[in-house]
Amino acid sequence: MPVGGKKQLPVVMEKEQVSVRSLISDRESELPGMWNRMFEQRVLRDYTTRELDRVAALPGGESLEWCYGCGKCVPVCPVDLVGEYGPRKIHRRTQTGTNLLESADLWLCTTCGNCLRVCPKEVDMMQIMPAARAAAVGQSTVPGELQDVFEKTFRYGNCLGQNARRRHAWTRGAGVPVRVLADEPGPVDVLFYVEDYWSYHPRGQQAAQAMARVLSALGIDWAILGAEEKTLGDSQRTAGEKGLFEALMEDVVATLDKYEFSRIVTPDPHGFNALVKEYPKHGHRYDVLHYTQLLAPLVDQLELTVPVERTVTFHDPCYLGRHHGEYDAPRRLIEAIPGIRLTEMSRCRENGYCCGGGGGGMWLDGFTASHTTERLSERRVREAAATGADVLAVCCPYEVSRFEDAAKSTGNEQLQVKDIIELIDEAMGHGADAEPA
Amino acid sequence: MASESVLVIGGGPAGLAAARSVADLGGNVVLVEQRDFLGGTPIAENYASITPHLESAEVALGRVVDAVQGHPGITVHLGAEVISCTGDAGELTAVLRSAEGEQPVECGAVIVATGFQHFDPGRETQLYGYYELPDVLALQDLESMLKAGSVVRPSNGQAPKRLCFIQCVGSRDRHIGNEYCSKVCCGVASKEAIEVRQALPDCEVFIFYIDMRMYGYWESQIYWPAQEQHNVQYVKGIVSEILPFGDRLLVRGEDTTMGRPMEIPMDMVVLSVGMEPSPGTRRTAQVLGVAQNKYGFIDAVDLPLDTVSTSRPGVFAAGAALGPADLEDCASSGAAAAMRAMAVIRGAQVAV
């Protein structure tokens, strides 16, 4: 209040980060600099092209400065829906002098590809982010939890830090014989590349076992690499560990060279992406299918005799849908199952909402949580629950555990999360309570 | 008997195109230019290069000037102006005045191609300190520096390390009275930005804009290369004022995408001035008695599918006398006006 007739000027502060205590919860929250406008204006004092030049100089980083600020990317960016993000904003912050390599922005992108889908200038975050992160890896500014996964992958050949010898432990519960090439060499039609989460995660193992039963029932000639299998490491690549990815590729190719197979089938859209898009850049070419692409044409041969009376909604994996244009194979499988009613979420197919697991997001849960209002998986589960479905069907190994956690944390326990292969397995009469053969 | 001649007023890009087209169609042309040379504003204002192709303005316009000057059907009067025009379409009598005195010209039709002038940032208010701050320039000032091969700060003769363009100076402004978009300045500024980056690779170049208006191919011919290959930085938000800042300039405005005020030091500021009707356009419109729009440009009365007819039968207009126009517009409307003028002459002959 003015005292003694003398005008008093307001106190002006400038802060990048502000702590605010809530009057209701008494909780203290950190607000980023953009909210400083609530308290005072922070004047931009200078621009420098240095930071954009730094990113543009990285192989793959060139297109960041192509942004002309139309803003089409921001509304479709899954991270912006739970935070304050998007390629246009990253371009502007970099243009106004923020060092992307030292910014939290660097680690929030899930490389889901929805921005590139709508970008008129083809600013390609799928190239920019791995390039900028690789530069940050060189400077050792990687968030600890991600660094931990890099190290586990380097030491054990899988992101979970599990013993390689236990990689095919899941086969014991499959109920059907599973051929491991090291034990039973010789030509095989389908090499089933199990990848990390179906090999080690308890829910993934259930899916792998279902897959084994379905493959056997179809009479497909198939085998796995067993303990010799290492992760293809595509998410480690998009998270910035290009060197690790290439080292893994050398090992994987050496293993594959030992065996004779017609095609590779994998449940992991990220591994699928590596084999389809990255390996050929290094001269390694294989006939590769996602498991839904193997099964969809064989749908008439599947003996789907047990009706599954559920309402199902389907989540498109970014790396199967947007990155490879495969939207129909998973839906053909779901629709072939008797009893199932498929209901789509408003964001589906080309505009599918990301689960948050790609581009290293799978291993940045703590970091992401501190920069967003909720997990992408939580938002997606709420969208799935809003359709009234009682099953959220998926076909990416990252998603079962992510969405099951999210269903619990958002109070949507009624929503079951199931891989499509589990639904097929159930319809073939091998359901959860089926006796192992 | 109707005259076989067409009077073309103005020897810039549109007038040259009109004169050559009439003569190529077999008509006689009397080309009147108030300056002592042909080529119009691009030559008079020392443009370095034309937009969007970045060819030398002298070379590009020189080709057309040579074609006109060497044409047997064209008589050129330099340093001359039209002071009256009487009669009806097909049988008009204009009077030219030059240093040699006055002379009548019989003609069947008239083409007005008297062009534009650059908006003067000091016209009504001292906008952006154009006449106060030596390092605040306009597009054409930078053009002539680029043409001379030396981009330096007028205040100290040093090459600028940071240079910015401010768009929409004198355009899209109800207060100033020019509510229209001047159409070419986004492209011209981006073209000059490319040229500055080529001449001074260490100079950071920014363009502050309200919205970039790169119609048609200019988008991919100028805007995208400026951004993608020449690292020109586009910032949405216009500058409100320029203040002296030591021996530099401080541009102040709002960075609209960040929602924050900005105060950015610059070595040189280039005002992207718009187009206004030239004094010759205003005067000639009065002399010929053709209607002008509220901005002073000559009215095309039968738009949109007739781009060149004025309110007076037998009198056509072309180029930037009609409103903001780029070189392609000038060439097109010059040729269109020539066709219409020839139709008047031929039609009158048939009728007789």
Side-chain angles (χ1 to χ4, degrees):
Chain A
M1 290 290 289
V3 184
K6 195 174 173 192
K7 183 169 142 190
Q8 306 222 323
L9 293 174
V11 178
V12 174
M13 317 170 294
E14 284 201 14
K15 285 185 175 180
E16 283 291 338
Q17 199 83 11
V18 177
S19 295
V20 181
R21 185 173 292 279
S22 163
L23 296 174
I24 300 163
S25 68
D26 207 36
R27 240 176 44 191
E28 196 150 285
S29 327
E30 293 281 308
L31 291 179
M34 65 160 293
W35 292 108
N36 289 3
R37 321 182 37 215
M38 292 164 64
F39 309 99
E40 83 268 6
Q41 296 267 41
R42 201 161 61 84
V43 178
L44 291 169
R45 301 259 174 227
D46 209 347
Y47 286 141
T48 168
T49 61
R50 186 183 63 238
E51 297 304 333
L52 268 182
D53 292 345
R54 184 205 302 273
V55 177
L58 303 170
E62 302 85 354
S63 67
L64 183 62
E65 71 175 341
W66 300 0
C67 174
Y68 60 13
C70 73
K72 286 176 93 174
C73 54
V74 173
V76 301
C77 174
V79 184
D80 190 67
L81 279 164
V82 294
E84 220 279 294
Y85 200 65
R88 183 197 70 76
K89 295 179 187 177
I90 294 171
H91 169 259
R92 281 298 288 133
R93 288 171 192 156
T94 310
Q95 195 181 39
T96 52
T98 299
N99 181 351
L100 178 62
L101 271 50
E102 292 171 3
S103 158
D105 284 350
L106 184 61
W107 305 104
L108 294 175
C109 173
T110 63
T111 65
C112 80
N114 215 9
C115 52
L116 182 61
R117 180 176 67 86
V118 299
C119 179
K121 292 291 292 289
E122 296 186 344
V123 174
D124 189 348
M125 300 310 278
M126 274 49 63
Q127 305 296 322
I128 295 163
M129 280 298 163
R133 289 165 177 179
V137 166
Q139 297 175 4
S140 308
T141 50
V142 182
E145 54 196 310
L146 181 61
Q147 184 60 38
D148 182 49
V149 168
F150 288 159
E151 283 164 17
K152 281 175 178 161
T153 309
F154 179 74
R155 286 183 63 184
Y156 300 103
N158 67 75
C159 63
L160 295 149
Q162 296 277 336
N163 188 329
R165 286 198 301 275
R166 293 190 45 75
R167 195 166 181 102
H168 53 305
W170 62 270
T171 58
R172 284 197 291 277
V176 292
V178 177
R179 176 179 162 196
V180 180
L181 283 179
D183 304 333
E184 300 175 65
V188 69
D189 176 18
V190 168
L191 174 63
F192 179 46
Y193 212 101
V194 191
E195 267 289 6
D196 289 353
Y197 287 94
W198 275 24
S199 294
Y200 293 115
H201 191 280
R203 288 289 284 115
Q205 290 179 334
Q206 290 172 335
Q209 290 163 354
M211 183 73 185
R213 289 190 287 271
V214 173
L215 289 172
S216 295
L218 284 168
I220 288 172
D221 174 30
W222 68 286
I224 61 172
L225 290 171
E228 287 185 289
E229 185 185 294
K230 285 188 171 186
T231 182
L232 297 161
D234 200 49
S235 289
Q236 287 86 339
R237 177 185 65 82
T238 53
E241 253 297 3
K242 189 166 178 267
L244 176 59
F245 174 79
E246 287 172 1
L248 286 166
M249 180 165 52
E250 276 187 35
D251 293 348
V252 168
V253 169
T255 306
L256 294 178
D257 281 350
K258 296 199 295 187
Y259 300 111
E260 203 180 321
F261 53 88
S262 311
R263 46 205 175 142
I264 299 176
V265 173
T266 182
D268 183 355
H270 302 274
F272 176 74
N273 183 67
L275 291 169
V276 173
K277 284 196 180 156
E278 297 301 318
Y279 275 45
K281 291 181 190 165
H282 300 82
H284 309 304
R285 287 168 214 285
Y286 305 100
D287 193 357
V288 188
L289 292 172
H290 184 255
Y291 88 82
T292 57
Q293 296 174 316
L294 173 75
L295 298 183
L298 306 176
V299 79
D300 294 336
Q301 297 172 42
L302 292 166
E303 291 184 18
L304 305 169
T305 51
V306 182
V308 181
E309 297 292 347
R310 309 279 183 82
T311 303
V312 172
T313 190
F314 172 62
H315 168 83
D316 286 280
C318 302
Y319 272 83
L320 187 64
R322 267 191 299 276
H323 285 251
H324 292 275
E326 182 59 84
Y327 304 104
D328 294 331
R331 287 178 172 79
R332 279 184 67 192
L333 292 173
I334 293 170
E335 285 169 343
I337 297 171
I340 280 189
R341 291 171 303 280
L342 176 62
T343 172
E344 297 281 6
M345 289 181 270
S346 58
R347 276 183 255 264
C348 64
R349 301 181 72 99
E350 288 84 353
N351 191 30
Y353 189 79
C354 175
C355 79
M362 193 71 184
W363 310 308
L364 285 160
D365 233 30
F367 182 88
T368 307
S370 64
H371 292 89
T372 51
T373 55
E374 67 177 339
R375 290 184 183 84
L376 275 64
S377 53
E378 291 171 331
R379 184 170 179 102
R380 187 53 159 170
V381 156
R382 289 197 290 105
E383 291 183 359
T387 65
D390 34 38
V391 172
L392 171 55
V394 300
C395 61
C396 167
Y398 288 15
E399 286 156 2
V400 175
S401 62
R402 292 190 71 75
F403 286 146
E404 283 188 348
D405 290 348
K408 287 193 193 87
S409 65
T410 59
N412 286 297
E413 287 91 345
Q414 82 288 355
L415 186 72
Q416 282 191 304
V417 184
K418 285 196 177 274
D419 196 286
I420 292 172
I421 198 69
E422 295 181 285
L423 295 170
I424 293 173
D425 193 44
E426 191 180 332
M428 290 174 79
H430 317 130
D433 38 79
E435 288 296 316
Chain B
M1 176 76 189
S3 170
E4 267 287 276
S5 291
V6 173
L7 173 64
V8 177
I9 308 171
L16 292 167
R20 185 158 81 162
S21 301
V22 168
D24 283 350
L25 288 166
N28 294 315
V29 176
V30 177
L31 175 59
V32 181
E33 166 57 52
Q34 62 160 0
R35 295 185 177 110
D36 295 331
F37 52 88
L38 294 177
T41 303
I43 300 302
E45 299 274 358
N46 284 304
Y47 288 6
S49 64
I50 57 172
T51 308
H53 300 287
L54 275 82
E55 187 185 7
S56 152
E58 270 183 359
V59 171
L61 283 156
R63 281 197 300 274
V64 194
V65 170
D66 289 348
V68 164
Q69 282 177 327
H71 207 299
I74 302 174
T75 310
V76 178
H77 296 265
L78 296 175
E81 60 181 329
V82 175
I83 56 166
S84 72
C85 181
T86 53
D88 296 318
E91 294 182 68
L92 294 158
T93 303
V95 177
L96 308 191
R97 184 164 66 200
S98 65
E100 287 95 59
E102 295 178 6
Q103 73 177 97
V105 174
E106 302 296 326
C107 58
V110 178
I111 296 171
V112 186
T114 42
F116 77 103
Q117 67 177 4
H118 298 106
F119 171 77
D120 177 358
R123 193 185 77 187
E124 286 165 19
T125 57
Q126 181 42 323
L127 199 59
Y128 296 119
Y130 180 65
Y131 290 111
E132 294 166 337
L133 302 167
D135 295 334
V136 176
L137 305 172
L139 283 178
Q140 68 274 19
D141 303 325
L142 181 57
E143 281 288 346
S144 63
M145 281 188 177
L146 289 163
K147 187 175 178 182
S150 168
V151 176
V152 294
R153 300 171 61 187
S155 64
N156 64 6
Q158 306 278 305
K161 289 267 190 254
R162 292 160 66 81
L163 177 153
C164 74
F165 293 82
I166 300 173
Q167 296 306 108
C168 299
V169 176
S171 304
R172 307 173 67 195
D173 191 319
R174 183 172 281 136
H175 184 62
I176 286 171
N178 297 345
E179 292 156 327
Y180 51 85
C181 165
S182 288
K183 199 173 180 180
V184 302
C185 339
C186 285
V188 172
S190 297
K191 183 219 67 161
E192 291 184 18
I194 290 172
E195 291 169 319
V196 169
R197 288 282 299 155
Q198 286 173 329
L200 304 172
D202 294 335
C203 181
E204 297 183 340
V205 177
F206 300 84
I207 295 183
F208 294 103
Y209 67 93
I210 301 171
D211 31 35
M212 291 309 291
R213 299 190 161 196
M214 293 289 197
Y215 55 93
Y217 296 124
W218 284 23
E219 178 83 13
S220 51
Q221 285 172 324
I222 320 171
Y223 184 14
W224 293 18
Q227 190 184 37
E228 296 176 9
Q229 288 152 34
H230 301 283
N231 314 92
V232 176
Q233 301 300 316
Y234 289 84
V235 179
K236 186 170 173 63
I238 217 69
V239 168
S240 316
E241 61 181 357
I242 302 172
L243 303 177
F245 184 66
D247 65 346
R248 306 177 85 189
L249 300 167
L250 190 69
V251 302
R252 299 188 68 249
E254 191 201 9
D255 182 324
T256 59
T257 61
M258 299 298 271
R260 302 220 302 248
M262 58 183 180
E263 295 181 345
I264 315 291
M266 289 287 161
D267 295 323
M268 193 186 273
V269 177
V270 181
L271 307 178
S272 290
V273 291
M275 290 176 147
E276 293 192 323
S278 67
T281 291
R282 293 176 191 276
R283 191 171 58 244
T284 306
Q286 302 270 317
V287 166
L288 297 177
V290 296
Q292 294 166 268
N293 64 22
K294 65 191 278 198
Y295 313 114
F297 290 109
I298 293 174
D299 240 348
V301 295
D302 206 8
L303 288 172
L305 296 179
D306 173 355
T307 56
V308 294
S309 291
T310 70
S311 62
R312 183 172 177 184
V315 177
F316 304 94
L322 287 163
D326 66 12
L327 285 169
E328 291 166 21
D329 296 334
C330 292
S332 301
S333 63
M339 292 294 292
R340 304 293 301 224
M342 287 305 286
V344 169
I345 290 170
R346 298 278 188 254
Q349 282 178 333
V350 170
V352 164

